[in-house]
Amino acid sequence: MACLTDLVNLNLSDTTEKIIAEYIWIGGSGMDLRSKARTLSGPVTDPSKLPKWNYDGSSTGQAPGEDSEVILYPQAIFKDPFRKGNNILVMCDCYTPAGEPIPTNKRHNAAKIFSNPEVAAEEPWYGIEQEYTLLQKDTNWPLGWPVGGFPGPQGPYYCGIGADKSFGRDIVDSHYKACLYAGINISGINGEVMPGQWEFQVGPSVGISAGDQVWVARYILERITEIAGVVVTFDPKPIPGDWNGAGAHTNYSTKSMRNDGGYEVIKTAIEKLKLRHKEHIAAYGEGNERRLTGRHETADINTFSWGVANRGASVRVGRETEQNGKGYFEDRRPASNMDPYVVTSMIAETTIIWKP
């Protein structure tokens, strides 16, 4: 008699050419990921060959009940680490039946910016450091923390090992391998300063693919925590007080920055970011004012600053970049709940297209 695990792990390719495609999209809050599955007649590797689909937008806060249909446009394909085989995950964005992007579709505008000839010529690279916190499901209190109480002060937990310092490593390692399997360019993981908090890095990724990969990596993480019976939060300051918040530091370079003489290009770009500081902060995630206080490795939200090897600045330039005279910089302002489509495209627009 087959058990549930046997059936979940059935290899479809033994009996059929058909595959399962899990269509993923971003819901009405701008952070809630939704998905549903459909059967396709055979393997597909090109998103333009996938059929469009629809869903009830009135149930996701994205359409009124009397005109609820929202259309899913497939944009990127990843291997499915849950169903395996030829099955796929499909990152989609959302449109009205008339073909207009709905208000929560931030990918559409990002794609326009990345297809701008000036931006495309500069081949913008991104490395995004996504921090998150694991919570106990029944209490919404960080994993490894005593219920209703607090662990010892920060210090031993960052990149720490041991049952009294590291909480949730099985989830983190499962996510790491699942992302590699899916084809996401995940480049590393580490335990963070606050216990129960972790980080994964995606990149280097070029242009719009950075947003696609971060969103699908978030999706995979939420699916894994669902299996583990744990809650993941991307809140930028899940625990008030003397505890680090969670960010999504965004490392960035253009072809001009990576070439000889690039350090001057980097300094010019940082000056442009300074001039648009308020606009960027407004787009860098909800609740960021609770995180960007000037403490816990952050700059104050109202003041722009930059420095070499300075983790208390808005923008950090690496020591190696300064020494080599070329390289990349890190925008440390984005919150953990930022939209990577918005942040990556806005940085490109400000530093490449915008003329102050």
Side-chain angles (χ1 to χ4, degrees):
M1 185 69 167
C3 66
L4 197 58
T5 303
D6 295 331
L7 296 172
V8 167
N9 292 326
L10 278 176
N11 185 355
L12 297 181
S13 59
D14 289 343
T15 57
T16 180
E17 285 288 307
K18 293 179 180 179
I19 68 159
I20 300 171
E22 189 80 25
Y23 279 43
I24 303 165
W25 70 96
I26 301 159
S29 75
M31 269 306 290
D32 57 317
L33 284 160
R34 311 284 181 128
S35 74
K36 61 177 184 171
R38 67 183 299 164
T39 305
L40 302 177
S41 59
V44 181
T45 56
D46 180 354
S48 69
K49 300 289 195 295
L50 288 167
K52 293 173 185 174
W53 206 6
N54 64 74
Y55 67 92
D56 171 15
S58 70
S59 295
T60 62
Q62 292 170 297
E66 65 273 13
D67 187 14
S68 64
E69 195 167 281
V70 179
I71 312 301
L72 293 169
Y73 286 34
Q75 299 291 358
I77 292 175
F78 299 86
K79 292 176 68 177
D80 187 339
F82 304 102
R83 295 187 176 106
K84 295 179 278 195
N86 291 321
N87 304 300
I88 55 176
L89 304 176
V90 183
M91 190 65 208
C92 304
D93 60 353
C94 306
Y95 296 80
T96 68
E100 294 296 319
I102 66 172
T104 52
N105 179 354
K106 306 303 182 186
R107 190 188 192 280
H108 179 79
N109 186 62
K112 287 202 294 187
I113 291 170
F114 285 120
S115 62
N116 179 289
E118 285 184 84
V119 176
E122 284 288 354
E123 293 178 17
W125 291 4
Y126 298 91
I128 297 174
E129 305 171 30
Q130 175 69 71
E131 294 178 338
Y132 60 94
T133 307
L134 298 174
L135 305 176
Q136 302 167 54
K137 187 177 75 169
D138 296 330
T139 61
N140 268 1
W141 201 237
L143 203 64
W145 290 37
V147 176
F150 295 87
Q154 296 183 152
Y157 309 108
Y158 172 70
C159 298
I161 61 169
D164 58 341
K165 294 181 284 293
S166 177
F167 311 110
R169 191 183 297 276
D170 53 348
I171 292 169
V172 174
D173 275 348
S174 298
H175 176 250
Y176 195 175
K177 289 185 176 181
C179 284
L180 287 171
Y181 179 93
I184 293 166
N185 193 25
I186 186 170
S187 46
I189 55 99
N190 61 268
E192 268 302 330
V193 177
M194 189 181 84
Q197 187 185 77
W198 292 83
E199 173 184 301
F200 64 88
Q201 303 94 32
V202 172
S205 305
V206 180
I208 196 72
S209 68
D212 290 336
Q213 292 191 35
V214 169
W215 274 116
V216 175
R218 286 174 172 176
Y219 173 84
I220 291 171
L221 179 59
E222 290 221 51
R223 286 282 305 275
I224 290 171
T225 55
E226 173 191 321
I227 293 166
V230 169
V231 173
V232 60
T233 178
F234 296 101
D235 189 284
K237 187 73 172 180
I239 304 296
D242 197 16
W243 304 98
N244 273 37
H249 302 158
T250 301
N251 300 276
Y252 170 72
S253 71
T254 63
K255 186 185 288 186
S256 298
M257 294 174 190
R258 297 188 292 269
N259 290 340
D260 290 342
Y263 192 44
E264 291 304 313
V265 181
I266 287 171
K267 289 194 285 186
T268 299
I270 292 171
E271 283 304 310
K272 292 172 93 174
L273 289 173
K274 179 180 179 179
L275 293 173
R276 296 190 76 194
H277 177 62
K278 285 186 178 178
E279 294 96 318
H280 279 255
I281 287 294
Y284 273 15
E286 294 293 325
N288 213 6
E289 72 283 350
R290 294 182 281 116
R291 167 180 163 261
L292 296 181
T293 61
R295 299 182 63 217
H296 305 111
E297 301 180 68
T298 71
D300 179 78
I301 194 168
N302 297 309
T303 307
F304 183 91
S305 60
W306 76 276
V308 176
N310 183 357
R311 282 180 162 77
S314 309
V315 170
R316 180 184 69 88
V317 174
R319 189 70 67 190
E320 188 177 12
T321 293
E322 182 190 43
Q323 291 169 349
N324 293 341
K326 59 184 176 181
Y328 69 97
F329 65 82
E330 174 192 42
D331 191 338
R332 297 177 60 81
R333 296 171 296 172
S336 49
N337 59 3
M338 63 81 157
D339 187 326
Y341 293 136
V342 173
V343 169
T344 56
S345 61
M346 194 173 194
I347 292 173
E349 182 183 39
T350 295
T351 59
I352 301 171
I353 301 172
W354 185 62
K355 306 294 188 288

